[in-house]
Every structure is written in C-alpha cells, then in structure tokens.
Amino acid sequence: MNSNYQHSDLTDQILKSFYKVYNTLGYGFLEKVYENAMHIELTKMGMSCVRQQPIDVFYDGQKVGLYYADLVINGFVIVELKAAEGLVPEHEAQLTNYLRATNIEVGLLLNFGRTPQHKRKVFSNNRK
C-alpha cells in the first residue's frame, strides 16, 4: 500500500468532522474550544479519540522532553489543531516531530482560521 494513502478512510472522516465543526462554530475561538468540539464530533462518529496524548521525546536514548498531541484518533492518526491566521512551516514541523517521536505514521494539521485549512502528513516508521 502506498503510505500516502495509509488510513485515508479515517482521515477523510476526521476531515468531515473538521468541516462540520468549522461550519458550526466558525473562526475566532481558542484552540481548546475546537479540540473539545472535535472530540464530541469524532466520538459521535464512533471513533476512539484521546485528547492531550503525552508523547515522550528522546535524545541519545534519554528522555529530554514531553509534548502533548491535541488528538489521537483510533491510535492511528495524530491531529494537531490550530486557530491561527494561517498555517506556517513551524506548524508542519511540529506535527512531523510528533510523528517522528511515535509509532504513528499519519497526521493531520487542522487550522480553524479565517479560512479553514488542513494538511496531511505521513512519516513512515521505516524512516524513524
């Protein structure tokens, strides 16, 4: 299977939830509001949705930090939420780092800005 399409059915469902939440709430709220709304919507769709999943970061075999992923869906997709004017390279790097630090290979970056935006990232385990 081409890794770019890995979990595409799941990410399609997450994107449907994203646009439903965006169309209902619009823009201008804090990320936490969107995180809570996404959790409600994804759970209604029967998905396992973990908020603020801790992710350990290691350097040279030693733990050097801890990050929290906004949402982890069905254990297969990390969702990073933003409520910014627009997505910037730093947002993408953050998601890529989360993928690099876990066994999860697929991530979605969702921005609840003036215009809704999303990006899908894949970081294969064989590259970790």
Side-chain angles (χ1 to χ4, degrees):
M1 171 196 287
N2 182 331
S3 65
N4 288 331
Y5 298 103
Q6 188 174 10
H7 304 300
S8 61
D9 289 344
L10 181 57
T11 56
D12 287 349
Q13 292 300 308
I14 295 166
L15 289 173
K16 283 183 186 175
S17 295
F18 166 61
Y19 283 105
K20 182 171 184 186
V21 169
Y22 186 89
N23 289 333
T24 302
L25 293 178
Y27 76 97
F29 291 103
L30 296 175
E31 286 176 23
K32 195 63 163 172
V33 170
Y34 297 114
E35 179 183 313
N36 293 336
M38 287 291 295
H39 183 266
I40 290 168
E41 196 57 42
L42 293 164
T43 301
K44 279 188 347 190
M45 295 178 77
M47 295 184 204
S48 166
C49 182
V50 178
R51 290 182 277 189
Q52 296 300 312
Q53 173 74 46
I55 297 173
D56 291 328
V57 179
F58 291 89
Y59 174 80
D60 199 24
Q62 297 181 52
K63 184 176 170 182
V64 294
L66 178 68
Y67 281 108
Y68 293 89
D70 290 334
L71 301 169
V72 176
I73 313 303
N74 289 359
F76 294 114
V77 178
I78 292 176
V79 176
E80 181 61 25
L81 302 173
K82 297 296 175 194
E85 192 63 35
L87 293 176
V88 295
E90 290 83 359
H91 296 149
E92 291 184 55
Q94 181 182 18
L95 180 58
T96 300
N97 287 337
Y98 287 167
L99 294 173
R100 184 181 291 131
T102 66
N103 288 328
I104 297 174
E105 296 180 297
V106 178
L108 286 175
L109 182 57
L110 306 178
N111 184 36
F112 289 89
R114 186 176 305 270
T115 301
Q117 295 174 284
H118 70 273
K119 291 211 175 196
R120 187 176 193 277
K121 292 291 211 181
V122 177
F123 196 90
S124 299
N125 284 333
N126 63 7
R127 295 178 49 207
K128 298 178 187 180

